[in-house]
Amino acid sequence: MLSKAKTLWALEQMKLEFPNAQGALNWDTPFHLLMAVILSAQATDISVNKVAPALFDRFPDPASLASADLQEIESYIHSIGLYHNKAKHLKACAQQIIARFDGQVPQSHTDLESLPGVGRKTANVVLGDAFRIPGFAVDTHVARVSKRLQIVKKSASVQEVEQALTAKLPKGEWVIDHHTMILFGRYRCTARNPKCETCPLLSICAEGQRRVNTK
Ligand code: SF4
Protein backbone atom coordinates (compact mmCIF):
# COMPACT_ATOMS: atom_id res chain seq x y z
CA MET A 1 0.00 0.00 0.00
CA LEU A 2 1.08 3.59 -0.59
CA SER A 3 2.93 4.99 2.42
CA LYS A 4 1.74 7.99 4.41
CA ALA A 5 4.57 10.12 2.99
CA LYS A 6 3.74 9.17 -0.60
CA THR A 7 0.03 9.73 -0.02
CA LEU A 8 0.82 13.23 1.25
CA TRP A 9 3.00 13.84 -1.79
CA ALA A 10 0.25 12.59 -4.10
CA LEU A 11 -2.21 15.06 -2.59
CA GLU A 12 0.32 17.88 -2.99
CA GLN A 13 0.60 17.05 -6.70
CA MET A 14 -3.17 16.91 -7.08
CA LYS A 15 -3.46 20.33 -5.42
CA LEU A 16 -0.92 21.78 -7.84
CA GLU A 17 -3.07 20.55 -10.70
CA PHE A 18 -6.40 21.54 -9.10
CA PRO A 19 -5.70 24.42 -6.69
CA ASN A 20 -8.35 25.77 -4.29
CA ALA A 21 -10.80 22.94 -4.97
CA GLN A 22 -14.25 23.33 -3.52
CA GLY A 23 -17.68 21.78 -3.84
CA ALA A 24 -19.64 22.39 -7.04
CA LEU A 25 -23.09 22.53 -5.41
CA ASN A 26 -24.65 25.98 -4.95
CA TRP A 27 -26.13 26.66 -1.51
CA ASP A 28 -26.66 29.52 0.93
CA THR A 29 -27.58 27.90 4.27
CA PRO A 30 -26.65 24.58 5.94
CA PHE A 31 -30.22 23.40 5.40
CA HIS A 32 -30.05 24.13 1.68
CA LEU A 33 -26.69 22.38 1.46
CA LEU A 34 -28.23 19.34 3.13
CA MET A 35 -31.10 19.43 0.60
CA ALA A 36 -28.66 19.77 -2.30
CA VAL A 37 -26.46 16.87 -1.15
CA ILE A 38 -29.48 14.60 -0.69
CA LEU A 39 -30.60 15.49 -4.23
CA SER A 40 -27.12 14.90 -5.67
CA ALA A 41 -27.11 11.14 -4.91
CA GLN A 42 -26.75 9.41 -8.29
CA ALA A 43 -27.26 12.78 -10.03
CA THR A 44 -24.87 15.43 -11.27
CA ASP A 45 -24.13 18.59 -9.32
CA ILE A 46 -25.07 20.55 -12.46
CA SER A 47 -28.57 19.03 -12.51
CA VAL A 48 -29.03 19.88 -8.82
CA ASN A 49 -27.79 23.45 -9.32
CA LYS A 50 -30.38 23.90 -12.07
CA VAL A 51 -33.33 23.18 -9.79
CA ALA A 52 -31.84 24.77 -6.66
CA PRO A 53 -32.79 28.46 -7.12
CA ALA A 54 -36.56 27.87 -7.45
CA LEU A 55 -36.49 25.07 -4.86
CA PHE A 56 -34.63 27.12 -2.27
CA ASP A 57 -36.82 30.14 -2.94
CA ARG A 58 -40.01 28.14 -2.33
CA PHE A 59 -38.58 26.25 0.68
CA PRO A 60 -36.30 28.65 2.55
CA ASP A 61 -36.31 26.62 5.80
CA PRO A 62 -37.28 23.24 7.31
CA ALA A 63 -40.75 24.52 8.35
CA SER A 64 -41.81 25.41 4.80
CA LEU A 65 -40.60 22.06 3.46
CA ALA A 66 -42.05 19.99 6.32
CA SER A 67 -45.57 21.25 5.66
CA ALA A 68 -45.44 21.04 1.85
CA ASP A 69 -47.32 18.51 -0.30
CA LEU A 70 -45.11 15.78 -1.71
CA GLN A 71 -46.44 16.50 -5.20
CA GLU A 72 -45.41 20.12 -4.94
CA ILE A 73 -41.88 19.15 -3.81
CA GLU A 74 -41.70 16.70 -6.73
CA SER A 75 -42.71 19.43 -9.17
CA TYR A 76 -39.47 21.27 -8.33
CA ILE A 77 -37.14 18.26 -8.62
CA HIS A 78 -38.70 16.00 -11.27
CA SER A 79 -35.73 16.51 -13.62
CA ILE A 80 -33.50 14.71 -11.08
CA GLY A 81 -33.20 10.92 -10.88
CA LEU A 82 -35.07 9.10 -8.10
CA TYR A 83 -37.12 12.23 -7.44
CA HIS A 84 -40.05 10.37 -5.86
CA ASN A 85 -37.85 8.96 -3.10
CA LYS A 86 -35.83 12.13 -2.78
CA ALA A 87 -38.99 14.23 -2.28
CA LYS A 88 -40.05 11.86 0.53
CA HIS A 89 -36.62 12.06 2.13
CA LEU A 90 -36.50 15.86 1.92
CA LYS A 91 -39.88 16.26 3.57
CA ALA A 92 -39.22 13.65 6.29
CA CYS A 93 -35.80 15.14 6.91
CA ALA A 94 -37.28 18.63 7.40
CA GLN A 95 -39.95 17.24 9.74
CA GLN A 96 -37.33 15.52 11.90
CA ILE A 97 -35.09 18.57 12.01
CA ILE A 98 -38.03 20.51 13.43
CA ALA A 99 -39.18 17.78 15.82
CA ARG A 100 -35.79 16.69 17.13
CA PHE A 101 -33.31 19.50 16.50
CA ASP A 102 -35.26 22.70 17.07
CA GLY A 103 -35.27 23.51 13.37
CA GLN A 104 -31.47 23.54 13.07
CA VAL A 105 -29.32 21.18 10.99
CA PRO A 106 -27.49 19.04 13.57
CA GLN A 107 -23.69 19.20 13.71
CA SER A 108 -22.73 15.63 14.57
CA HIS A 109 -22.30 12.51 12.46
CA THR A 110 -24.67 10.50 14.60
CA ASP A 111 -27.48 13.05 14.48
CA LEU A 112 -27.07 13.79 10.79
CA GLU A 113 -26.97 10.11 9.83
CA SER A 114 -30.18 9.52 11.79
CA LEU A 115 -32.06 11.74 9.30
CA PRO A 116 -33.91 10.20 6.32
CA GLY A 117 -31.83 10.11 3.14
CA VAL A 118 -28.61 11.04 4.95
CA GLY A 119 -25.69 8.59 4.85
CA ARG A 120 -22.08 8.87 5.89
CA LYS A 121 -21.00 10.71 2.73
CA THR A 122 -23.78 13.30 2.97
CA ALA A 123 -23.03 13.87 6.67
CA ASN A 124 -19.33 14.39 5.93
CA VAL A 125 -20.03 16.90 3.15
CA VAL A 126 -22.46 18.91 5.30
CA LEU A 127 -20.18 18.90 8.35
CA GLY A 128 -17.14 19.88 6.30
CA ASP A 129 -18.62 22.50 3.98
CA ALA A 130 -21.31 24.05 6.17
CA PHE A 131 -19.66 23.84 9.59
CA ARG A 132 -15.93 23.36 8.79
CA ILE A 133 -15.96 20.21 10.93
CA PRO A 134 -13.32 17.92 9.38
CA GLY A 135 -14.63 14.84 7.64
CA PHE A 136 -13.61 12.86 4.55
CA ALA A 137 -16.57 12.18 2.28
CA VAL A 138 -15.85 9.21 0.01
CA ASP A 139 -17.65 9.30 -3.32
CA THR A 140 -17.02 7.31 -6.48
CA HIS A 141 -14.08 9.53 -7.55
CA VAL A 142 -12.34 9.47 -4.17
CA ALA A 143 -12.73 5.69 -3.97
CA ARG A 144 -11.45 5.07 -7.51
CA VAL A 145 -8.39 7.33 -7.14
CA SER A 146 -7.56 5.81 -3.74
CA LYS A 147 -7.68 2.30 -5.17
CA ARG A 148 -5.70 3.06 -8.31
CA LEU A 149 -2.97 4.71 -6.26
CA GLN A 150 -3.04 1.79 -3.81
CA ILE A 151 -3.80 4.05 -0.87
CA VAL A 152 -6.19 1.19 -0.10
CA LYS A 153 -6.64 -2.29 -1.49
CA LYS A 154 -8.92 -2.75 -4.51
CA SER A 155 -11.57 -4.51 -2.46
CA ALA A 156 -11.76 -1.78 0.22
CA SER A 157 -15.21 -0.70 1.36
CA VAL A 158 -16.21 2.97 1.50
CA GLN A 159 -15.57 2.91 5.25
CA GLU A 160 -12.10 1.42 4.76
CA VAL A 161 -11.27 4.12 2.20
CA GLU A 162 -12.36 6.79 4.68
CA GLN A 163 -10.33 5.18 7.47
CA ALA A 164 -7.18 4.98 5.33
CA LEU A 165 -7.42 8.55 4.06
CA THR A 166 -8.09 10.01 7.51
CA ALA A 167 -5.17 8.03 8.92
CA LYS A 168 -2.73 9.16 6.22
CA LEU A 169 -3.75 12.79 5.69
CA PRO A 170 -3.75 15.71 8.18
CA LYS A 171 -7.16 16.46 9.71
CA GLY A 172 -7.03 20.15 8.84
CA GLU A 173 -6.77 19.24 5.13
CA TRP A 174 -9.53 16.63 4.94
CA VAL A 175 -12.20 18.92 3.50
CA ILE A 176 -10.02 20.41 0.77
CA ASP A 177 -8.33 17.05 0.10
CA HIS A 178 -11.77 15.52 -0.49
CA HIS A 179 -12.70 18.23 -3.01
CA THR A 180 -9.27 17.99 -4.65
CA MET A 181 -9.56 14.22 -5.12
CA ILE A 182 -13.02 14.65 -6.66
CA LEU A 183 -11.65 17.05 -9.29
CA PHE A 184 -8.64 14.82 -9.88
CA GLY A 185 -10.94 11.84 -10.40
CA ARG A 186 -13.39 13.78 -12.53
CA TYR A 187 -10.86 15.31 -14.93
CA ARG A 188 -7.55 13.37 -14.69
CA CYS A 189 -8.01 9.90 -13.22
CA THR A 190 -11.33 9.35 -14.97
CA ALA A 191 -13.21 6.06 -14.77
CA ARG A 192 -12.66 5.39 -18.47
CA ASN A 193 -9.44 6.38 -20.20
CA PRO A 194 -7.56 8.08 -17.35
CA LYS A 195 -4.90 10.47 -18.65
CA CYS A 196 -1.97 8.46 -17.29
CA GLU A 197 0.73 9.44 -19.81
CA THR A 198 0.88 13.01 -18.52
CA CYS A 199 -0.19 12.32 -14.94
CA PRO A 200 2.08 13.86 -12.27
CA LEU A 201 1.58 10.71 -10.18
CA LEU A 202 2.67 8.19 -12.81
CA SER A 203 6.02 7.54 -11.05
CA ILE A 204 4.24 6.15 -7.95
CA CYS A 205 1.21 4.60 -9.66
CA ALA A 206 1.49 0.93 -10.66
CA GLU A 207 -1.97 1.03 -12.25
CA GLY A 208 -1.01 4.01 -14.44
CA GLN A 209 2.30 2.39 -15.43
CA ARG A 210 0.49 -0.82 -16.41
CA ARG A 211 -1.98 1.14 -18.53
CA VAL A 212 0.77 3.14 -20.26
CA ASN A 213 2.88 0.03 -20.95
CA THR A 214 0.01 -1.96 -22.43
CA LYS A 215 -1.02 0.74 -24.91
S1 SF4 B 1 -1.24 7.47 -13.40
FE1 SF4 B 1 -3.29 7.09 -14.27
S2 SF4 B 1 -4.28 5.66 -12.85
FE2 SF4 B 1 -2.51 6.56 -11.77
S3 SF4 B 1 -3.36 8.31 -10.66
FE3 SF4 B 1 -2.60 9.09 -12.63
S4 SF4 B 1 -4.38 9.04 -13.99
FE4 SF4 B 1 -4.86 7.73 -12.21
Side-chain angles (χ1 to χ4, degrees):
M1 291 298 105
L2 203 65
S3 68
K4 192 170 180 173
K6 283 187 177 166
T7 305
L8 276 169
W9 181 82
L11 260 298
E12 278 169 22
Q13 300 309 305
M14 290 184 210
K15 283 176 183 162
L16 287 175
E17 190 165 15
F18 299 99
N20 306 315
Q22 47 187 307
L25 289 171
N26 296 333
W27 57 279
D28 51 0
T29 65
F31 180 62
H32 283 163
L33 175 61
L34 178 59
M35 289 173 70
V37 182
I38 290 172
L39 288 173
S40 72
Q42 296 179 52
T44 64
D45 292 347
I46 292 171
S47 69
V48 176
N49 286 341
K50 271 190 195 153
V51 305
L55 182 72
F56 293 170
D57 204 38
R58 169 62 184 87
F59 305 112
D61 48 35
S64 53
L65 186 58
S67 59
D69 282 342
L70 270 181
Q71 282 181 336
E72 188 190 4
I73 300 171
E74 287 179 358
S75 72
Y76 283 89
I77 63 171
H78 61 81
S79 59
I80 293 178
L82 309 174
Y83 72 95
H84 283 304
N85 270 343
K86 287 177 182 175
K88 280 186 206 150
H89 283 150
L90 288 178
K91 181 176 165 95
C93 194
Q95 287 174 329
Q96 291 203 19
I97 286 174
I98 289 171
R100 296 168 50 211
F101 302 109
D102 204 21
Q104 303 297 314
V105 175
Q107 298 188 27
S108 81
H109 269 115
T110 310
D111 288 343
L112 272 170
E113 287 181 53
S114 72
L115 295 171
V118 179
R120 181 88 184 163
K121 186 186 82 142
T122 300
N124 271 325
V125 172
V126 171
L127 290 174
D129 286 351
F131 302 120
R132 311 316 291 175
I133 296 171
F136 215 118
V138 175
D139 75 344
T140 180
H141 299 297
V142 172
R144 182 177 65 255
V145 170
S146 299
K147 289 176 185 183
R148 284 185 176 161
L149 282 169
Q150 295 188 332
I151 295 171
V152 293
K153 58 183 189 290
K154 282 233 175 329
S155 60
S157 65
V158 167
Q159 266 185 330
E160 287 171 330
V161 175
E162 183 181 336
Q163 278 165 6
L165 290 170
T166 52
K168 291 180 178 185
L169 296 168
K171 196 170 186 177
E173 299 291 306
W174 288 351
V175 174
I176 191 160
D177 284 350
H178 146 78
H179 289 306
T180 304
M181 287 182 82
I182 288 176
L183 292 184
F184 189 81
R186 190 174 282 160
Y187 299 109
R188 163 69 72 181
C189 192
T190 47
R192 287 185 201 167
N193 303 320
K195 302 172 183 70
C196 300
E197 289 90 345
T198 55
C199 179
L201 305 182
L202 184 58
S203 65
I204 60 162
C205 182
E207 166 88 18
Q209 289 162 18
R210 184 187 61 74
R211 285 172 180 267
V212 168
N213 290 332
T214 52
K215 270 197 172 172

